[in-house]
Amino acid sequence: MRWDEFRTSSNVEDRRGIPGGAGGLGIGTIVVLGIIGWALGIDPRLLIGGAEMIANQGGYEQQQGKQGTPQDEMGRFAAAILGNTEDVWKTVLPQQANRQYKEPKLVLFSGATRSGCGAAQSAMGPFYCPLDQTVYLDLSFFQEMQQRFRAGGDFAYAYVIAHEVGHHVENQLDILPRVQARQQEVGATERNQLSVRVELMADCLAGVWAHHSNERWNSLEQGDIEKAIAAAQAIGDDRLQQQSQGRVVPDSFTHGSSEQRVRWLTTGLKTGQIQACDTFRASKL
């Protein structure tokens, strides 16, 4: 992927090297909570974050890192991808949805940090917190993608960031608040189904970003799309559940199957249209 020519975003806070705070959860606890989450159909990040907050009773001071573009290559890469998503969505969102785009923030951290949604742990993976409109990312996740999931490459990593920014777009469209309110009213199965629709829409919106980025900056190189598809396949709920527990429980899916994630990412790539990403009106997920 040709990212060197992208404008780097200044909306980056680098907390790497800053301790995540006293207390915290051991890796064994995090793994157990993850397994419980999959079994019960609860997003494991909610369990981990809640347990971390209990483990660190009494509140905390908001951590502050270095503002602006990081100097290391992976930090600059993340800032460049964020900057390009800003440039794309500043144009696309007003044109296609009649909404002005408010830029999110990106926090880079190592191991653990704090978010507006509670504790953030590397084991939770990248995530978007709508309460502070910030994407949280431990860059070691990209190494895990390559080593554990055999899904590496710049565009695969960019897809991960763009997916989280896709959640920010959903927030700008008032989709996340409505979904979260509905999730408080329904049972576990429907709650998970709503989560799947949110995640698949974010996959599709990541594809919309890539479509317009390539159209304007000719950013994609040969093999990039295949790498992103491999990443989407590797992190499908069915494949992750099969690896972790030896069986697949569709009712507990929170992100969608490998086939669904690939299909919605591809839909965004092909169409470049927000409307094509409306998973809430789709007859087939």
Side-chain angles (χ1 to χ4, degrees):
M1 184 177 196
R2 302 182 183 92
W3 60 270
D4 287 337
E5 298 180 5
F6 289 169
R7 178 188 64 83
T8 56
S9 174
S10 60
N11 295 311
V12 179
E13 181 183 343
D14 193 349
R15 297 183 190 172
R16 291 174 294 174
I18 298 177
L25 303 178
I27 187 64
T29 303
I30 292 172
V31 171
V32 170
L33 289 173
I35 294 173
I36 293 173
W38 285 122
L40 298 179
I42 302 172
D43 189 336
R45 293 178 296 188
L46 299 179
L47 294 177
I48 295 169
E52 177 70 16
M53 291 178 70
I54 294 172
N56 293 285
Q57 298 175 11
Y60 62 91
E61 292 184 3
Q62 180 63 45
Q63 296 165 311
Q64 294 294 329
K66 296 179 182 178
Q67 304 289 330
T69 305
Q71 298 303 307
D72 61 297
E73 183 174 7
M74 286 309 298
R76 286 190 298 105
F77 168 80
I81 299 303
L82 183 66
N84 194 247
T85 64
E86 292 168 351
D87 292 340
V88 166
W89 286 116
K90 278 183 181 178
T91 300
V92 172
L93 199 63
Q95 287 180 346
Q96 296 189 13
N98 197 28
R99 300 285 183 99
Q100 295 301 310
Y101 185 64
K102 182 180 179 182
E103 298 172 353
K105 184 177 176 181
L106 172 65
V107 168
L108 302 177
F109 70 97
S110 298
T113 191
R114 300 293 182 174
S115 79
C117 297
Q121 294 268 2
S122 298
M124 296 159 60
F127 73 96
Y128 171 73
C129 173
L131 297 181
D132 58 13
Q133 300 188 46
T134 300
V135 173
Y136 291 84
L137 172 65
D138 186 331
L139 292 171
S140 66
F141 181 74
F142 295 152
Q143 295 178 342
E144 183 179 6
M145 286 177 61
Q146 192 170 38
Q147 295 170 3
R148 178 183 172 190
F149 301 122
R150 303 289 191 270
D154 288 346
F155 186 52
Y157 306 148
Y159 152 64
V160 170
I161 296 174
H163 170 93
E164 300 306 330
V165 172
H167 286 313
H168 181 65
V169 174
E170 293 173 328
N171 202 29
Q172 301 282 288
L173 294 171
D174 297 325
I175 291 172
L176 286 189
R178 294 201 301 269
V179 169
Q180 289 168 346
R182 178 61 179 163
Q183 286 178 317
Q184 300 300 315
E185 303 170 350
V186 299
T189 299
E190 187 174 347
R191 189 161 55 243
N192 290 339
Q193 291 172 349
L194 289 167
S195 176
V196 168
R197 291 181 187 274
V198 167
E199 296 297 335
L200 293 179
M201 184 174 185
D203 281 333
C204 186
L205 292 171
V208 171
W209 158 73
H211 173 99
H212 290 279
S213 177
N214 189 52
E215 192 175 68
R216 182 173 172 184
W217 288 277
N218 194 29
S219 56
L220 297 184
E221 298 177 297
Q222 186 174 1
D224 278 346
I225 293 177
E226 289 78 6
K227 291 176 182 177
I229 287 175
Q233 288 176 326
I235 55 180
D237 282 332
D238 51 343
R239 185 170 296 187
L240 291 176
Q241 287 187 0
Q242 186 65 47
Q243 291 174 348
S244 65
Q245 60 194 34
R247 62 193 180 99
V248 175
V249 185
D251 282 349
S252 69
F253 285 1
T254 57
H255 287 66
S257 69
S258 294
E259 185 274 333
Q260 288 172 324
R261 301 199 71 168
V262 169
R263 180 157 43 81
W264 282 100
L265 170 63
T266 304
T267 296
L269 273 166
K270 289 181 177 178
T271 66
Q273 295 293 315
I274 295 174
Q275 187 175 2
C277 296
D278 190 349
T279 56
F280 292 90
R281 294 187 180 181
S283 58
K284 178 188 176 183
L285 284 182

